[in-house]
Structure formats: C-alpha cells, structure tokens
Amino acid sequence: MHSTDHSNKAIITCAITGVLTDPGQHHVPVTPEQLAKEARRAYDAGAAVVHVHFRNQEPGKGHLPSWDPQVARDCVQAMREACPGLIINQTTGVVGPNYQGPLDCLRATRPEMAACNAGSLNYLKVRSNGTWAWPPMLFDNQPAKVKDFIDVMLETGTLPEFECFDVGIVRCVEMYVQTGMYTERLPEYNFVMGVESGMPADPDLLPILLKLKIKDALWQATVIGRSEIWPVHQRVAELGGHLRTGLEDTFYLPDGTKAESNGPLIEKLAEYARNAGREVASPQEARTLLGLSSAPR
C-alpha cells in the first residue's frame, strides 16, 4: 500500500484548462499545441501531473467541451512529447445519463490517472443581487455511474482520483471499498473545496476530512476561488497532502494579480511546499508515490 509516510515529497498537479473557462477571456489552452506549451510551463515550475479537460477544436468553439477520442489522443500525445514522464490525469465529469464520451476517451488515451467523481452535488451559485448565477443543476454521480467509471479505469490501467465535493462524499469512498466496488488498492482522495454549494475553502475543515478518509490513503485538495484559497494550500502542504492549482481553479496569485499562465500558479504551490519543509516530487517520484508504472514510451 502507498502512503504519504513513505516520502515527504509533495506531488503538484496542474489543472491546466478547465471545463468551460472561455479562452476569449482567459489564457487557457485549447489546441494540442497550446496544451503542450502550457503543460511545459507547469512542468518546468514543478508539476508532475496535469489534469486535463478536452475542448472543441473548431474555430470559435474552444469554450465548449469535447469528448472526441481523437481530440483526446492528440492533446495527450502533445503534452507527453513536450514533458518527459508527465502524468496525465483526465477529466470524466459529465452531467446526465449519457456518459459514453468520457468512457470512450479513457479507452482512447489510457491515462495514468482520471477523475472519478465520487458523489452527487447540487451545483449552485447565487449572485450578489440574489439571482442564480446559472440555472440550478444536479451534478449527478450515483453509485452505478461511479462503478461504470471505476470498471473502465480498471480496464485501462488508470488510477481513479476520487473527487469529493462534500463531506458526505468523502465518507462514500470508504463504502465503495467496503462493498467491493473498488478493491484495487487504497483509494486516492481529492478534496474539492470552494464550490459555492460544496465544501468551503476553509483550512479548518482539513483535519475533519483527514479523520474521515481511509487511513494511509493519499490525498490532495483542489481549492477553487481567489485570495481565500492560498491559506488552504499552505495548510494542505503542512498536513502532508498533495497540491493542485491551475487556471481551472483560479486566475489569481496570492497578491491578487492575475496569472497569465499556469506557470506562476504552480511556482507558488512549489514555494508553499518548501515553506512546509517539503520538496516537490519529480514525475518519477510522483509515479512511485502513486504506485503508477513508469512513463509511457
């Protein structure tokens, strides 16, 4: 079993582009070439893992997601060629009963890791004037859907990263182990904090989450927001967790300036890891910690 006790190294993940971030407004990569350049910036700054969403490649459509397996293959290949040993962590998040697209993309690229959304969440946000920021929606991840993703990840040799948007979802992960839905090894947790209708970006919540996860299981935190996220990242580093940021999660550095690429965000996480007395894991060290095979050739 793999545990943070084996090493004091911090694995840094770059959430490179996000699902709907508009490339017309923000410097998010869309094409394979853009993803390769941004991945290299993040990699040079200390990221061993890139969490990637694929986007529509047609002109003017780059703000929309794509589940085209060929787009997925092209994007993954470009990033791997630009960054020797880079670990690919692929999105699978999709609303509704038709999730064949993410399953097809997993089979097409066989990534080392992939998000496995571990429970459902009312996905809500309210504007300052009291109106909904978007129509209220359910991000549905019922157990049968979770199991379908786990099964395909087993088939493709992909490590599930269990995305936990709320406290109860953290507790569900252990139930997936108890019922035999997931038996491969200790689960790897991702505590998603800062979604308005999910867990808040609050460092005081972290000790509670650590009590609820399975002992010795690896964990990281995804922290979404602006200035409030950075104290959480520092606490994650101090508590032995792994770190994630990128233009999917925030556009702002701790001093409030806007990041023009993923590189400065990753540099800041590396600095936070070192502030906590930890070194940043290389891609090969991250593979060892995560129990992954050596890099694809």
Side-chain angles (χ1 to χ4, degrees), residues 34-54:
Q34 290 167 346
L35 281 164
K37 280 184 185 166
E38 271 296 288
R40 185 70 206 202
R41 283 183 181 132
Y43 178 88
D44 288 343
V49 183
V50 162
H51 174 73
V52 61
H53 290 249
F54 306 115

Side-chain angles (χ1 to χ4, degrees), residues 17-215:
T17 195
V19 60
L20 290 171
T21 320
D22 188 349
Q25 295 180 351
H26 304 285
H27 296 274
V28 292
V30 170
T31 66
E33 295 75 23
Q34 290 167 346
L35 281 164
K37 280 184 185 166
E38 271 296 288
R40 185 70 206 202
R41 283 183 181 132
Y43 178 88
D44 288 343
V49 183
V50 162
H51 174 73
V52 61
H53 290 249
F54 306 115
R55 301 296 194 87
N56 190 308
Q57 300 295 304
E58 293 175 40
K61 300 280 185 71
H63 60 294
L64 299 173
S66 170
W67 295 111
D68 179 338
Q70 189 57 52
V71 169
R73 272 192 290 265
D74 291 346
C75 290
V76 167
Q77 182 179 349
M79 289 190 290
R80 284 203 170 125
E81 286 175 359
C83 309
L86 181 71
I87 297 166
I88 300 295
N89 177 331
Q90 207 154 293
T91 185
T92 62
V94 66
V95 172
N98 179 12
Y99 44 92
Q100 191 60 47
L103 299 179
D104 290 344
C105 286
L106 285 171
R107 290 184 169 117
T109 62
R110 304 180 76 87
E112 294 96 328
M113 301 176 69
C116 187
N117 297 287
S120 300
L121 183 77
N122 287 327
Y123 212 83
L124 313 174
K125 185 175 181 178
V126 176
R127 293 195 183 98
S128 56
N129 66 1
T131 62
W132 293 115
W134 54 74
M137 59 172 277
L138 174 67
F139 184 27
D140 57 314
N141 296 292
Q142 64 273 29
K145 187 174 180 179
V146 175
K147 184 167 193 315
D148 285 344
F149 279 109
I150 290 173
D151 289 350
V152 172
M153 289 179 202
L154 180 61
E155 173 194 322
T156 59
T158 300
L159 172 66
E161 179 180 82
F162 288 100
E163 314 290 312
C164 301
F165 298 87
D166 220 337
V167 175
I169 300 176
V170 177
R171 303 176 77 188
C172 289
V173 173
E174 187 166 13
M175 297 182 196
Y176 301 153
V177 174
Q178 290 167 336
T179 57
M181 264 175 65
Y182 181 69
T183 58
E184 287 310 290
R185 40 167 286 177
L186 282 177
E188 195 246 341
Y189 292 79
N190 181 22
F191 303 140
V192 182
M193 307 172 81
V195 174
E196 294 283 335
S197 53
M199 294 190 286
D202 184 342
D204 292 342
L205 188 53
L206 289 167
I208 295 167
L209 300 176
L210 295 185
K211 280 200 297 188
L212 296 175
K213 77 171 184 70
I214 295 174
K215 187 177 184 294

Side-chain angles (χ1 to χ4, degrees), residues 277-291:
R278 300 171 69 192
E279 287 303 312
V280 174
S282 69
Q284 190 51 55
E285 289 167 335
R287 285 175 185 278
T288 301
L289 269 170
L290 291 162

